[in-house]
Amino acid sequence: MSNSNKIFLVLIAISSGALLILYSSNDLFARPILRTFFPATPSGAPPAEVAALVDTRGDIQRVKYVPRGDNATEHNIFVIYTKENYSNLLKSKFELFLKSLLKFTTIDLHLHIITDEKSELSAETMLKDQINKYKKRIFYTLYDVEDFAAKINDIVYVMMPFFSSHAGSYYSDSLFFLSLGLHRIVDPKMTQAILIDCDVVFRTDVKYLFEQFRRFSPENLFGLAPELTPVYRHILYKYRATYPKSNFGNPYYPASRRKGQKMGYPGLNSGVVMLQLDRIRTSKLFAESLKFDSVKQLTDKYAFKGHLGDQDFFTLLGHEFPALIYRLDCVWNRQLCTWWKEHGYSDVFDHFFHCEGKIKLYHGNCNTRVPE
C-alpha cells in the first residue's frame, strides 16, 4: 500500500471518530435498542454487523416485526414498562409478569416492550433472565415511549378532556390511550395483538388467551373483560338517577341472577385489551368514534366524566356499540382492587367483585398483591 493511501485511510478513521463524537447525543447512537431493529436472517442468526448487539444463542433475538414464517409467530404481546425510577414496586411487578408469562407458555411469543431510556436496560435484563431460566423461544422488540406517544397525540388531544382527572395526573399520560391508536403505529402487516398491563400474573398458558380471537364475531374489533368494581356506578350517578332501570353500572353477575337473566354492564377494564388490528384499521365506525364531536356526544349522553383513560372510552363504546367489543370472561382479567369497598360501596361491592370460574389471569391493580 502506498504512503498516500495509508494517509488517506488514517484521515477517514479520524473523520469517522469525529463524527461519532459529534453525534453521540443523537438517539440513534445513544439508544440503539429503541431506535434500531434487527430482523432475523433466514438462518436465524443475526446479521454480522450487529452480532455484538444480539444474543447469538438462538433463543434471544431483537427483531423487527415480520409476518409468520420468518419470526415463526404472530402471538404479539405489547406491554408498557416506563418510569422505573418512579416506583420501586414497578420492577417487581414486571418481573413477576415475565415469570408467569414464560413459565406457562408453550407457544412462541413476540414481546413488544414500550419503554424509556432509564428503564430499557433493566427491562431487557429481566427478560433475558427469564428466557434463560425457562428456556423459552421469545422474540422481542424494544420501542421508544416518546415515539409512540407522539404518534397518538391527536387521539390524546381528543380524549384527555373527557377521560383524565387533570393535567399531569397518572391517567393523563398519553400511553393510557395507546390501545386506541396502536393499530396505526405497529407494522401494517400485524393483524392481532394483545396489550397487557405489567401488573398482571398468568395462571395458565397465554395461548388460550390468543385462542379467544377465534370466538370474535365478524364485527368485534376489541376484546375486554368486565370491570369488577363499582367505579362506573359511581361515575354514572347522574345518568342512573334519570334512568334507574338502566343496566349500565350494574354488576356483571347480578346478586340473585335467575336462569336466562342477562348479566349487568359494569363497564370494561383495560388491563387486558385484545386487538383485531386489521379490522380496526378499516372500521369507519371506530374512526368516527374517535372524533371530538363523537366523544362529546357520548359523554354528554351519559353525563360522564371519567379519569381512567382508554378504559373509560371502551366502557362507553361497548355500551353504545356492543358489537364492536368481544366480552372476554372475567377469569382472563380477575382484578383485585378493593378500594371502592372502603369508599362508599361496601353494601354492593361484593356483587361487582364476584367472578365465576377458574382464574386464568390475576390483575393486581391498585398495587394489590397477587395471591401465590
Side-chain angles (χ1 to χ4, degrees), residues 96 108 125 143 163 180 200 204 269 304 307 352 357:
L96 188 56
D108 288 346
T125 299
Y143 300 88
F163 307 127
L180 305 181
V200 309
T204 191
N269 185 277
F304 191 102
H307 61 284
F352 284 88

Side-chain angles (χ1 to χ4, degrees), residues 1-69:
M1 181 182 294
S2 67
N3 287 336
S4 61
N5 285 340
K6 289 180 180 179
I7 293 171
F8 181 67
L9 289 175
V10 169
L11 289 174
I12 291 176
I14 292 173
S15 300
S16 300
L19 284 172
L20 181 60
I21 293 171
L22 178 63
Y23 291 107
S24 61
S25 62
N26 186 284
D27 276 351
L28 185 59
F29 286 87
R31 301 166 69 181
I33 295 174
L34 296 175
R35 293 298 191 185
T36 308
F37 305 97
F38 307 117
T41 63
S43 66
E49 64 269 23
V50 298
L53 293 176
V54 183
D55 193 304
T56 58
R57 287 173 293 180
D59 57 346
I60 302 176
Q61 302 178 55
R62 297 192 192 111
V63 296
K64 179 172 177 167
Y65 175 81
V66 286
R68 186 183 322 211

Side-chain angles (χ1 to χ4, degrees), residues 108-223:
D108 288 346
L109 299 173
H110 191 151
L111 190 60
H112 304 259
I113 304 174
I114 303 161
T115 187
D116 54 38
E117 189 172 6
K118 293 182 179 180
S119 309
E120 66 183 70
L121 179 59
S122 177
E124 188 171 25
T125 299
M126 285 188 281
L127 178 57
K128 284 186 174 183
D129 287 345
Q130 298 309 315
I131 291 174
N132 289 330
K133 177 179 179 180
Y134 291 107
K135 309 299 181 186
K136 298 297 174 67
R137 178 179 169 88
I138 302 293
F139 297 89
Y140 69 96
T141 309
L142 303 179
Y143 300 88
D144 185 357
V145 62
E146 294 179 3
D147 182 51
F148 264 47
K151 291 176 178 176
I152 59 169
N153 269 344
D154 57 326
I155 295 176
V156 175
Y157 179 80
V158 169
M159 297 294 164
M160 280 186 61
F162 305 103
F163 307 127
S164 60
S165 54
H166 56 81
S169 68
Y170 183 67
Y171 282 98
S172 69
D173 193 301
S174 296
L175 291 181
F176 290 99
F177 300 98
L178 176 62
S179 60
L180 305 181
L182 190 64
H183 60 284
R184 68 189 197 191
I185 300 176
V186 301
D187 192 295
K189 297 176 183 176
M190 192 182 299
T191 60
Q192 294 178 340
I194 301 176
L195 178 63
I196 303 182
D197 285 357
C198 70
D199 58 353
V200 309
V201 176
F202 283 89
R203 285 289 188 262
T204 191
D205 194 334
V206 70
K207 79 173 183 180
Y208 300 120
L209 179 56
F210 277 99
E211 287 177 0
Q212 295 290 312
F213 278 114
R214 301 177 187 173
R215 300 187 179 186
F216 276 33
S217 71
E219 297 82 14
N220 292 156
L221 307 181
F222 302 92

